Amino acid sequence: MRMLNLLKISFKAIVLNKVRALLTMLGVIIGVASVIAMLAIGEGSKQSIKAQISSMGSNMITIRPNAERQGGVRLSRSEMQSLTLDDFELIQSEALLLTNVSPQVSGNGQVIYGSDNWPSNIYGVNPEYLAIRVWEVQHGSMFTDAEVKSASKVAVIGQTVQENLFTNGENPVGSMIRFNNIPFKVTGVLEEKGENTFGQDQDDVVLAPYTTVQKRILATDYLQSITASAISEEQSEQAVEEITALMNKSHEIQEGATADFEIRSMEELISTFSSTGELLTLLLVAIASISLLIGGIGIMNIMYVSVKERTREIGLRLAVGAKNNDILMQFLIEAILISVTGGSIGVLLGVSATFFIEKILSWPTSVTGYSIVISFAVCAITGIFFGWYPARKAASLDPIEAMRYE
């Protein structure tokens, strides 16, 4: 009952000074709104990056040659010949934590259809490559394993290649295109994927059997890389360890020696981007929290003013039997009410701000429950922390001196 009375008294004191209370809340409102908006932007960015990486294949694993030095010159990975079809067959047959495996070779050149041409990249893969990259064929079909074995001159093209070659709206499926003057029959068109995390156009691509690219375009018998997908994203690291063990044994890599291959999983990339995103979010929140700190100082300042203005009232209450703890709780509750009310308005403002940021600026945002809970908790702590000293000052006043105060 005593607490309810103190709450009523504190509420009335705030209502009597509405404008001052609102101005005091302003710092807390701006601080909380900024914190929620910054957390939403940070979380939205992380989710957006993770979604983009997942669209490339979140459980994808890539095995590439390790760069070597010959005569003091570091060779490019594409020139290394340490990966072979034997490695691909070994991984495909013995790795238990993989669902799909594809060799990969690539080259660049001019794609030609009629009088139109377009500079692009051709990737030599097998049909499992689409499942690894989480890709679908929008029109037509993917080439088959039989066409891979026979090194058929067939290809699947991306949307960008289609738009730049088939400018009159022709159906590419069944048409003949040329890549560096080698004819390829188009069997399908890939669905649109857009740019990846690094700003590369994923639709500017031509996929063909790796056997065809090796023989007809590159004239090589080694692989530039091997791409695989783990059973699940959670098992990517175990899959990497399994492949490493198989490759070490196959390539006779001694313990402690530098391997002639390198294995990377998307889990590493996701982890790197997530760490960067979290650091950026913390930085944004730290900047936004300055407003909250200023709001807390504003609460302390106003509570000091309130104590000074109500010194006679405090003395009178103490004289008629109020305890020091009652006075302390009264002013502390008043500070907390100002802080929490400002926090509530700040939450509404912050959530509204994230909506406009996403709609108007097209930035990815995601308001999480924990950001709202943290904001309310910080508001309560701010009220207690910055309201405690003025409340304690009021409670320690001498009743006689307080009643004499003019």
PDB file of all heavy atoms in Angstrom, residues 288-308:
ATOM      1  N   ALA A 288      25.260   5.360 -30.376  1.00  0.00           N
ATOM      2  CA  ALA A 288      23.873   5.688 -30.019  1.00  0.00           C
ATOM      3  C   ALA A 288      23.701   5.795 -28.512  1.00  0.00           C
ATOM      4  O   ALA A 288      22.865   6.570 -28.025  1.00  0.00           O
ATOM      5  CB  ALA A 288      22.935   4.625 -30.583  1.00  0.00           C
ATOM      6  N   SER A 289      24.492   5.026 -27.751  1.00  0.00           N
ATOM      7  CA  SER A 289      24.357   5.027 -26.289  1.00  0.00           C
ATOM      8  C   SER A 289      24.782   6.345 -25.656  1.00  0.00           C
ATOM      9  O   SER A 289      24.421   6.639 -24.516  1.00  0.00           O
ATOM     10  CB  SER A 289      25.198   3.890 -25.688  1.00  0.00           C
ATOM     11  OG  SER A 289      24.716   2.633 -26.132  1.00  0.00           O
ATOM     12  N   ILE A 290      25.546   7.136 -26.407  1.00  0.00           N
ATOM     13  CA  ILE A 290      25.945   8.452 -25.890  1.00  0.00           C
ATOM     14  C   ILE A 290      24.701   9.295 -25.623  1.00  0.00           C
ATOM     15  O   ILE A 290      24.621  10.024 -24.627  1.00  0.00           O
ATOM     16  CB  ILE A 290      26.894   9.162 -26.884  1.00  0.00           C
ATOM     17  CG1 ILE A 290      28.216   8.379 -26.982  1.00  0.00           C
ATOM     18  CG2 ILE A 290      27.161  10.605 -26.458  1.00  0.00           C
ATOM     19  CD1 ILE A 290      29.153   8.867 -28.056  1.00  0.00           C
ATOM     20  N   SER A 291      23.705   9.190 -26.525  1.00  0.00           N
ATOM     21  CA  SER A 291      22.443   9.926 -26.332  1.00  0.00           C
ATOM     22  C   SER A 291      21.752   9.467 -25.058  1.00  0.00           C
ATOM     23  O   SER A 291      21.172  10.275 -24.326  1.00  0.00           O
ATOM     24  CB  SER A 291      21.516   9.703 -27.524  1.00  0.00           C
ATOM     25  OG  SER A 291      22.086  10.170 -28.710  1.00  0.00           O
ATOM     26  N   LEU A 292      21.825   8.160 -24.790  1.00  0.00           N
ATOM     27  CA  LEU A 292      21.202   7.613 -23.583  1.00  0.00           C
ATOM     28  C   LEU A 292      21.910   8.121 -22.336  1.00  0.00           C
ATOM     29  O   LEU A 292      21.267   8.421 -21.320  1.00  0.00           O
ATOM     30  CB  LEU A 292      21.249   6.081 -23.635  1.00  0.00           C
ATOM     31  CG  LEU A 292      20.224   5.307 -22.806  1.00  0.00           C
ATOM     32  CD1 LEU A 292      18.819   5.743 -23.125  1.00  0.00           C
ATOM     33  CD2 LEU A 292      20.378   3.816 -23.050  1.00  0.00           C
ATOM     34  N   LEU A 293      23.230   8.225 -22.422  1.00  0.00           N
ATOM     35  CA  LEU A 293      24.011   8.759 -21.296  1.00  0.00           C
ATOM     36  C   LEU A 293      23.640  10.216 -21.036  1.00  0.00           C
ATOM     37  O   LEU A 293      23.451  10.627 -19.882  1.00  0.00           O
ATOM     38  CB  LEU A 293      25.507   8.643 -21.613  1.00  0.00           C
ATOM     39  CG  LEU A 293      26.475   9.205 -20.563  1.00  0.00           C
ATOM     40  CD1 LEU A 293      26.367   8.421 -19.262  1.00  0.00           C
ATOM     41  CD2 LEU A 293      27.908   9.178 -21.087  1.00  0.00           C
ATOM     42  N   ILE A 294      23.508  10.983 -22.122  1.00  0.00           N
ATOM     43  CA  ILE A 294      23.117  12.400 -21.982  1.00  0.00           C
ATOM     44  C   ILE A 294      21.720  12.497 -21.371  1.00  0.00           C
ATOM     45  O   ILE A 294      21.451  13.355 -20.528  1.00  0.00           O
ATOM     46  CB  ILE A 294      23.167  13.104 -23.353  1.00  0.00           C
ATOM     47  CG1 ILE A 294      24.619  13.188 -23.838  1.00  0.00           C
ATOM     48  CG2 ILE A 294      22.554  14.494 -23.280  1.00  0.00           C
ATOM     49  CD1 ILE A 294      24.780  13.631 -25.262  1.00  0.00           C
ATOM     50  N   GLY A 295      20.825  11.589 -21.791  1.00  0.00           N
ATOM     51  CA  GLY A 295      19.478  11.553 -21.225  1.00  0.00           C
ATOM     52  C   GLY A 295      19.503  11.263 -19.734  1.00  0.00           C
ATOM     53  O   GLY A 295      18.749  11.860 -18.956  1.00  0.00           O
ATOM     54  N   GLY A 296      20.385  10.347 -19.314  1.00  0.00           N
ATOM     55  CA  GLY A 296      20.527  10.019 -17.891  1.00  0.00           C
ATOM     56  C   GLY A 296      21.027  11.212 -17.090  1.00  0.00           C
ATOM     57  O   GLY A 296      20.538  11.481 -15.980  1.00  0.00           O
ATOM     58  N   ILE A 297      21.983  11.937 -17.668  1.00  0.00           N
ATOM     59  CA  ILE A 297      22.496  13.136 -16.992  1.00  0.00           C
ATOM     60  C   ILE A 297      21.388  14.175 -16.874  1.00  0.00           C
ATOM     61  O   ILE A 297      21.285  14.875 -15.855  1.00  0.00           O
ATOM     62  CB  ILE A 297      23.709  13.702 -17.761  1.00  0.00           C
ATOM     63  CG1 ILE A 297      24.875  12.709 -17.689  1.00  0.00           C
ATOM     64  CG2 ILE A 297      24.124  15.063 -17.213  1.00  0.00           C
ATOM     65  CD1 ILE A 297      26.031  13.030 -18.595  1.00  0.00           C
ATOM     66  N   GLY A 298      20.541  14.247 -17.913  1.00  0.00           N
ATOM     67  CA  GLY A 298      19.397  15.170 -17.873  1.00  0.00           C
ATOM     68  C   GLY A 298      18.439  14.817 -16.753  1.00  0.00           C
ATOM     69  O   GLY A 298      17.934  15.713 -16.057  1.00  0.00           O
ATOM     70  N   ILE A 299      18.208  13.515 -16.544  1.00  0.00           N
ATOM     71  CA  ILE A 299      17.339  13.061 -15.447  1.00  0.00           C
ATOM     72  C   ILE A 299      17.929  13.478 -14.100  1.00  0.00           C
ATOM     73  O   ILE A 299      17.230  14.003 -13.221  1.00  0.00           O
ATOM     74  CB  ILE A 299      17.140  11.528 -15.507  1.00  0.00           C
ATOM     75  CG1 ILE A 299      16.280  11.148 -16.724  1.00  0.00           C
ATOM     76  CG2 ILE A 299      16.475  11.006 -14.232  1.00  0.00           C
ATOM     77  CD1 ILE A 299      16.174   9.657 -16.962  1.00  0.00           C
ATOM     78  N   MET A 300      19.220  13.268 -13.928  1.00  0.00           N
ATOM     79  CA  MET A 300      19.881  13.630 -12.671  1.00  0.00           C
ATOM     80  C   MET A 300      19.762  15.140 -12.418  1.00  0.00           C
ATOM     81  O   MET A 300      19.457  15.585 -11.299  1.00  0.00           O
ATOM     82  CB  MET A 300      21.359  13.229 -12.721  1.00  0.00           C
ATOM     83  CG  MET A 300      22.124  13.582 -11.451  1.00  0.00           C
ATOM     84  SD  MET A 300      23.873  13.159 -11.550  1.00  0.00           S
ATOM     85  CE  MET A 300      23.806  11.412 -11.185  1.00  0.00           C
ATOM     86  N   ASN A 301      19.982  15.909 -13.474  1.00  0.00           N
ATOM     87  CA  ASN A 301      19.915  17.375 -13.348  1.00  0.00           C
ATOM     88  C   ASN A 301      18.520  17.828 -12.929  1.00  0.00           C
ATOM     89  O   ASN A 301      18.366  18.646 -12.009  1.00  0.00           O
ATOM     90  CB  ASN A 301      20.299  17.996 -14.701  1.00  0.00           C
ATOM     91  CG  ASN A 301      20.357  19.506 -14.640  1.00  0.00           C
ATOM     92  OD1 ASN A 301      20.888  20.074 -13.688  1.00  0.00           O
ATOM     93  ND2 ASN A 301      19.801  20.162 -15.646  1.00  0.00           N
ATOM     94  N   ILE A 302      17.490  17.283 -13.590  1.00  0.00           N
ATOM     95  CA  ILE A 302      16.109  17.675 -13.279  1.00  0.00           C
ATOM     96  C   ILE A 302      15.714  17.215 -11.879  1.00  0.00           C
ATOM     97  O   ILE A 302      14.994  17.924 -11.151  1.00  0.00           O
ATOM     98  CB  ILE A 302      15.131  17.107 -14.333  1.00  0.00           C
ATOM     99  CG1 ILE A 302      15.335  17.820 -15.663  1.00  0.00           C
ATOM    100  CG2 ILE A 302      13.687  17.224 -13.892  1.00  0.00           C
ATOM    101  CD1 ILE A 302      15.125  19.325 -15.608  1.00  0.00           C
ATOM    102  N   MET A 303      16.184  16.039 -11.474  1.00  0.00           N
ATOM    103  CA  MET A 303      15.856  15.550 -10.129  1.00  0.00           C
ATOM    104  C   MET A 303      16.501  16.430  -9.060  1.00  0.00           C
ATOM    105  O   MET A 303      15.919  16.662  -7.995  1.00  0.00           O
ATOM    106  CB  MET A 303      16.305  14.088  -9.964  1.00  0.00           C
ATOM    107  CG  MET A 303      15.542  13.091 -10.837  1.00  0.00           C
ATOM    108  SD  MET A 303      13.759  13.255 -10.739  1.00  0.00           S
ATOM    109  CE  MET A 303      13.459  12.893  -9.033  1.00  0.00           C
ATOM    110  N   TYR A 304      17.698  16.938  -9.339  1.00  0.00           N
ATOM    111  CA  TYR A 304      18.335  17.883  -8.416  1.00  0.00           C
ATOM    112  C   TYR A 304      17.484  19.146  -8.286  1.00  0.00           C
ATOM    113  O   TYR A 304      17.238  19.648  -7.181  1.00  0.00           O
ATOM    114  CB  TYR A 304      19.730  18.269  -8.933  1.00  0.00           C
ATOM    115  CG  TYR A 304      20.849  17.508  -8.291  1.00  0.00           C
ATOM    116  CD1 TYR A 304      21.749  16.783  -9.055  1.00  0.00           C
ATOM    117  CD2 TYR A 304      21.016  17.512  -6.904  1.00  0.00           C
ATOM    118  CE1 TYR A 304      22.782  16.075  -8.478  1.00  0.00           C
ATOM    119  CE2 TYR A 304      22.055  16.813  -6.308  1.00  0.00           C
ATOM    120  CZ  TYR A 304      22.928  16.091  -7.104  1.00  0.00           C
ATOM    121  OH  TYR A 304      23.950  15.386  -6.521  1.00  0.00           O
ATOM    122  N   VAL A 305      17.021  19.652  -9.443  1.00  0.00           N
ATOM    123  CA  VAL A 305      16.164  20.839  -9.448  1.00  0.00           C
ATOM    124  C   VAL A 305      14.884  20.569  -8.673  1.00  0.00           C
ATOM    125  O   VAL A 305      14.411  21.403  -7.885  1.00  0.00           O
ATOM    126  CB  VAL A 305      15.843  21.263 -10.902  1.00  0.00           C
ATOM    127  CG1 VAL A 305      14.800  22.385 -10.924  1.00  0.00           C
ATOM    128  CG2 VAL A 305      17.108  21.707 -11.621  1.00  0.00           C
ATOM    129  N   SER A 306      14.308  19.379  -8.883  1.00  0.00           N
ATOM    130  CA  SER A 306      13.065  18.999  -8.212  1.00  0.00           C
ATOM    131  C   SER A 306      13.247  18.946  -6.700  1.00  0.00           C
ATOM    132  O   SER A 306      12.385  19.386  -5.934  1.00  0.00           O
ATOM    133  CB  SER A 306      12.585  17.645  -8.740  1.00  0.00           C
ATOM    134  OG  SER A 306      11.353  17.287  -8.173  1.00  0.00           O
ATOM    135  N   VAL A 307      14.379  18.412  -6.264  1.00  0.00           N
ATOM    136  CA  VAL A 307      14.667  18.339  -4.823  1.00  0.00           C
ATOM    137  C   VAL A 307      14.755  19.746  -4.241  1.00  0.00           C
ATOM    138  O   VAL A 307      14.211  20.033  -3.161  1.00  0.00           O
ATOM    139  CB  VAL A 307      15.973  17.554  -4.561  1.00  0.00           C
ATOM    140  CG1 VAL A 307      16.418  17.707  -3.107  1.00  0.00           C
ATOM    141  CG2 VAL A 307      15.776  16.077  -4.893  1.00  0.00           C
ATOM    142  N   LYS A 308      15.440  20.647  -4.962  1.00  0.00           N
ATOM    143  CA  LYS A 308      15.589  22.029  -4.492  1.00  0.00           C
ATOM    144  C   LYS A 308      14.224  22.715  -4.397  1.00  0.00           C
ATOM    145  O   LYS A 308      13.915  23.416  -3.432  1.00  0.00           O
ATOM    146  CB  LYS A 308      16.503  22.811  -5.438  1.00  0.00           C
ATOM    147  CG  LYS A 308      17.973  22.485  -5.307  1.00  0.00           C
ATOM    148  CD  LYS A 308      18.539  23.042  -4.006  1.00  0.00           C
ATOM    149  CE  LYS A 308      20.050  22.792  -3.925  1.00  0.00           C
ATOM    150  NZ  LYS A 308      20.575  23.277  -2.636  1.00  0.00           N
TER     151      LYS A 308
END
